[in-house]
Amino acid sequence: MTTMTVIEAVRSTLDEEMARDDRIFIIGEDVEAGGVFRATDGLHAKYNDRVIDSPLAESSIIGISIGAAHYGLRPVAEIQFADFIHSGFDQLCSEASRWCYRTNGDAYLPMVVRTPWGGGVHGGQHHSQSIEAYYAHMPGIKVVAPAFPADFRSLLKASIADPNPVLFLEHKRIYRLIKQEMEGAPAETQLSRARVTRKGTDLTIFAYGFMLHESLNAAETLSGEGVDCMVVDLLTLNPLDKETVLESAKATGKVLIVHEDTLTGGLGGEISAIIAEEAFEYLDAPIKRLAAPDVPPMPYHHAMEDFFMPNREKIAAAARALAAY
Amino acid sequence: MTATRTRRTRSRETIEDYLLSEQQLEDMYYHMLLARRLNERMLALNRQGRAPFVIAGAGQEAAQVGAAMALKKGEDYVAPYYRDLGVNLVLGMTAREAMLNLLGKRDDPNSHGKQMPSHWGNVSRRIVTQSSVVTTQFLHATGIGLAAKLRKDPIVVLTSCGEGSTSKGDFHEALNFSAIHKLPVIFFVENNGYAITESNEKEMPVPNVADRARGYGIQSAMVDGMDCIAVYQTVRPAVDQARRGGGPFLIEAKCYRLWPHSSDDDDSRYRPKKELEEWIKKDPLTLFRSRVEDDGIFPREDLDEIEKRVEEEVRDAAQWAMMQPDPLPEDALTYVYRELS
């Protein structure tokens, strides 16, 4: 019996992978000392020069990982907070995402960029952001955002094994909040599949990361009221598992998409378009999106932060209204 | 192709003043000339409406060829920039391949029609794929240097850019990181005087790119980039030193962009005619030819013969490449991801 938190799953997986394959190395800010969330705790002592502190320069972290991956190593880069990744946007989107495409597969980049994302930790505008939509928009980069420790483990392994650049998103609110017995827990191994985490017949909730847990909680509340919610964990945001999205939407005919990213241009729009285009006849209600309001960043003060973020109560209210439609 | 006269075999012994052998000097001239003549033919094809875009390295051949010849072919890595036709030719690109690249043909080994011309890349020749975004390649080179150091492989990476690129953050980040970790990276800046329309004074407040190295604790050198032999003699020791673990080196080759920025640019709008005329007098091809001729290394006929050989090669390459297959429209959908092997 091994119970693990998310951060323990990440750390132990990095350790195991580095022991297995000496081409893997870690680069990022403060990683030698274990990182600000302790994801690389103890790894420098064990793997020496394969855990490398970088200067405070995100373009370097990603650009250097590109070079090293091209050379044949397996970099696992850490961007300390997802909010700071954008100075490496050029390296990810103008370079990494198209390395394989523009060489017709002659060159490719087996690299992972791990980064803590998301709000609910009083992090204000630059320690709370949801960044997934910018990067999920870009073909050539895979974007993963698990919710449970067992998936963190299996999908981190899959990301390291993948010959393409993978952005591996770790919601910081659940690092220590969510624990799971690892043995026998469902663990997705493909970077292309969503999972029906909770079965249900009245409506379908799509979520990922911290919001997946809030959605499961809301579903529990609603089941006491006689509303049976299906909850789908999207797991990989690019490429999206269209098949599971469509099947789960068709199964209930009512769809609620939840994310803490802002509404306009968020992934909810894409999922809703897929369902509207390919499952329109199955719908019994308009598709509903629950997302953060269209303001630039997450505000700092807890009153405004709570207002900004979707949560279990807001999800339950939205689901209740949808069930009644 | 039949030789009209018998020429003596080139010696491979190093000539003292040059630090190069006769054979190397011939290769040098051949590659510089091939780069120039290819560029001329490319521009002609553009004007005939056969090639949508040309971006050339005229005036920078000495810098490119001299620097590339200092590397171990097939072992060392290069992360070049779009003007570096000369670098690619030294490392093995053929005239035919250069023309396939110009025309975006299916079999262009650089990108099979997916990139604009002159965006190089060839895995087997260790030429790193590059984009139009300037200086990103400096960090790729740094990453290759780091990887080589981790694996204890005795290789060197040479990455190049124009001086315009040196204002970008990636330039500074790459210098900083490679200096911290003493990586085997040669940063080679071809200062050609212009970033499209902007002259050096608009790009930086110091007279030389090389001056910036000191701030990062990197050794640097400046060299006359119109003089291929001088470039080789400057780059070679830096490469050898980096291979022995001596760390990165920044080299600024002062050269000149003899042509407009690209086939779509009109340089008469911003470039003083007199300035151009002065630099034309220092054309690297003329300079090289007169030196080896004056020093009696090669008789004039030998150099004429190389000219002829190159011209024939370029003519053949253009004709051949135009007959080669284009990519299929649906090839636009291929290789977005690499499959798990």
Side-chain angles (χ1 to χ4, degrees):
Chain A
M1 298 287 274
T2 321
T3 304
M4 274 192 190
T5 59
V6 168
I7 196 76
E8 282 163 358
V10 170
R11 184 174 43 221
S12 61
T13 305
L14 289 173
D15 190 358
E16 264 176 47
E17 289 292 291
M18 289 185 85
R20 181 186 60 80
D21 184 348
D22 70 357
R23 294 172 303 172
I24 298 172
F25 75 96
I26 289 173
I27 183 167
E29 294 159 15
D30 306 302
V31 293
E32 290 184 17
V36 297
F37 290 101
R38 321 300 300 159
T40 56
D41 219 9
L43 298 182
H44 183 248
K46 198 164 171 186
Y47 299 104
N48 307 310
D49 60 358
R50 287 168 58 205
V51 179
I52 302 164
D53 267 350
S54 74
L56 271 69
E58 288 75 15
S59 190
S60 288
I61 296 169
I62 295 167
I64 287 166
S65 297
I66 290 173
H70 180 82
Y71 191 79
L73 299 195
R74 301 262 164 167
V76 179
E78 177 179 303
I79 299 293
Q80 196 162 79
F81 286 88
D83 314 63
F84 302 125
I85 199 172
H86 304 306
S87 55
F89 188 91
D90 199 22
Q91 286 288 356
L92 269 176
C93 288
S94 305
E95 303 288 349
S97 74
R98 48 197 72 175
W99 208 260
C100 179
Y101 183 77
R102 74 189 187 204
T103 61
N104 261 15
D106 286 347
Y108 58 100
L109 299 175
M111 61 183 274
V112 179
V113 179
R114 295 177 38 248
T115 189
W117 68 291
V121 295
H122 313 305
Q125 60 171 325
H126 288 130
H127 300 82
S128 308
Q129 274 171 246
S130 296
I131 58 146
E132 65 275 19
Y134 300 114
Y135 299 91
H137 176 68
M138 199 68 213
I141 299 177
K142 298 186 179 181
V143 181
V144 188
F148 284 102
D151 286 321
F152 269 92
R153 181 190 181 76
S154 55
L155 289 175
L156 184 53
K157 278 179 187 278
S159 299
I160 291 170
D162 200 278
N164 300 285
V166 179
L167 181 59
F168 192 83
L169 299 175
E170 303 169 0
H171 200 294
K172 63 179 89 68
R173 177 75 190 275
I174 60 174
Y175 263 153
R176 291 177 172 81
L177 184 72
I178 301 297
K179 288 193 181 83
Q180 191 179 28
E181 167 51 48
M182 301 296 272
E183 220 177 277
E188 182 53 57
T189 57
Q190 305 292 314
L191 299 178
S192 56
R193 278 200 215 138
R195 180 197 300 128
V196 177
T197 304
R198 183 195 166 99
K199 287 183 183 154
T201 50
D202 293 332
L203 63 99
T204 306
I205 303 176
F206 293 100
Y208 51 95
F210 176 43
M211 285 303 125
L212 191 271
H213 296 288
E214 292 297 279
S215 299
L216 286 170
N217 188 284
E220 203 52 42
T221 303
L222 284 177
S223 86
E225 302 172 17
V227 178
D228 190 15
C229 299
M230 176 187 284
V231 180
V232 178
D233 186 351
L234 290 168
L235 290 169
T236 295
L237 309 181
N238 185 42
L240 267 175
D241 181 356
K242 276 178 68 172
E243 204 180 317
T244 303
V245 165
L246 288 168
E247 273 174 20
S248 342
K250 288 175 184 173
T252 66
K254 291 183 178 179
V255 171
L256 171 63
I257 306 153
V258 182
H259 54 65
E260 60 180 89
D261 191 8
T262 47
L263 182 74
T264 302
L267 272 164
E270 186 58 34
I271 294 161
S272 116
I274 290 168
I275 296 167
E277 279 181 341
E278 298 185 40
F280 181 74
E281 291 89 353
Y282 294 84
L283 294 179
D284 295 325
I287 297 167
K288 175 73 189 162
R289 287 178 293 164
L290 181 66
D294 284 331
V295 300
M298 189 171 301
Y300 173 67
H301 189 277
H302 66 85
M304 289 190 286
E305 186 186 49
D306 290 347
F307 178 83
F308 178 95
M309 281 189 71
N311 58 30
R312 52 191 68 180
E313 290 83 19
K314 293 180 199 176
I315 298 168
R320 211 175 277 126
L322 189 60
Y325 183 90
Chain B
M1 192 167 65
T2 48
T4 46
R5 51 189 278 283
T6 324
R7 54 161 218 211
R8 66 193 170 84
T9 319
R10 300 277 176 245
S11 161
R12 292 182 187 277
E13 233 161 85
T14 305
I15 308 166
E16 207 175 315
D17 279 357
Y18 288 82
L19 303 178
L20 289 153
S21 69
E22 274 182 14
Q23 184 58 53
Q24 284 173 307
L25 286 167
E26 177 175 326
D27 291 348
M28 206 172 238
Y29 186 56
Y30 165 76
H31 284 123
M32 284 199 287
L33 199 62
L34 184 58
R36 177 69 62 85
R37 297 288 175 261
L38 276 167
N39 274 164
E40 286 166 354
R41 182 59 60 99
M42 287 172 179
L43 201 58
L45 290 170
N46 170 264
R47 296 304 183 238
Q48 293 164 11
R50 294 173 195 267
F53 182 74
V54 177
I55 193 149
Q60 297 172 227
E61 296 92 344
Q64 295 168 3
V65 170
M69 283 184 69
L71 300 171
K72 283 192 182 172
K73 213 166 140 177
E75 287 181 40
D76 292 337
Y77 277 74
V78 175
Y81 90 119
Y82 45 77
R83 294 199 193 279
D84 280 333
L85 176 59
V87 170
N88 280 272
L89 294 173
V90 171
L91 297 178
M93 178 185 277
T94 65
R96 284 183 167 192
E97 287 172 342
M99 284 298 178
L100 287 177
N101 174 256
L102 173 78
L103 301 170
K105 291 292 187 179
R106 184 192 70 185
D107 298 332
D108 164 35
N110 295 280
S111 86
H112 306 268
K114 284 194 171 145
Q115 290 226 72
M116 288 176 89
S118 302
H119 291 61
W120 321 109
N122 190 305
V123 168
S124 60
R125 291 179 191 137
R126 303 206 157 178
I127 297 161
V128 182
T129 172
Q130 46 131 17
S131 69
S132 312
V133 181
V134 299
T135 339
T136 46
Q137 73 272 20
F138 268 44
L139 285 172
H140 308 156
T142 303
I144 291 168
L146 177 68
K149 192 184 170 194
L150 284 172
R151 305 303 278 190
K152 301 185 171 56
D153 296 337
I155 60 123
V156 173
V157 196
L158 183 138
T159 185
S160 58
C161 70
E163 85 293 345
S165 305
T166 66
S167 300
K168 270 198 63 174
D170 283 357
F171 173 83
H172 301 273
E173 291 193 15
L175 260 58
N176 189 42
F177 192 96
S178 16
I180 293 169
H181 292 273
K182 280 189 104 179
L183 303 180
V185 185
I186 308 298
F187 299 104
F188 186 68
V189 178
E190 299 169 34
N191 186 341
N192 67 10
Y194 284 90
I196 307 193
T197 70
E198 293 185 21
S199 55
N200 276 196
E201 312 79 68
K202 292 184 180 179
E203 302 172 51
M204 52 192 194
V206 289
N208 309 302
V209 174
D211 297 344
R212 293 172 159 177
R214 205 185 316 151
Y216 298 101
I218 285 189
Q219 281 182 276
S220 68
M222 272 187 295
V223 60
D224 177 359
M226 306 302 257
D227 181 344
C228 197
I229 295 156
V231 171
Y232 174 83
Q233 290 174 350
T234 306
V235 179
R236 182 62 201 267
V239 167
D240 293 345
Q241 180 182 303
R243 201 185 306 283
R244 290 192 304 265
F249 213 108
L250 173 69
I251 296 165
E252 179 182 13
K254 301 273 194 191
C255 37
Y256 193 73
R257 199 189 77 203
L258 290 171
W259 292 6
H261 166 68
S262 73
S263 54
D264 295 337
D265 177 38
D266 172 12
D267 60 331
S268 69
R269 294 181 297 131
Y270 54 85
R271 175 151 64 181
K273 208 173 161 201
K274 229 182 152 134
E275 178 190 293
L276 178 60
E277 283 165 358
E278 283 307 305
W279 278 99
I280 286 173
K281 290 180 197 155
K282 301 179 211 165
D283 187 315
L285 298 174
T286 328
L287 196 79
F288 183 93
R289 225 190 125 119
S290 55
R291 179 165 174 194
V292 291
E293 231 181 277
D294 291 352
D295 286 2
I297 308 290
F298 299 121
R300 167 169 303 190
E301 299 77 37
D302 282 19
L303 295 164
D304 289 345
E305 192 193 301
I306 298 171
E307 283 265 6
K308 234 194 241 162
R309 172 153 57 103
V310 164
E311 261 161 44
E312 206 162 307
E313 208 175 322
V314 171
R315 193 180 313 116
D316 159 79
Q319 278 171 1
W320 175 85
M322 282 189 283
M323 318 266 286
Q324 298 311 300
D326 291 312
L328 299 171
E330 308 78 49
D331 288 345
L333 298 176
T334 57
Y335 298 105
V336 177
Y337 295 102
R338 171 123 178 161
E339 297 302 318
L340 249 171
S341 50

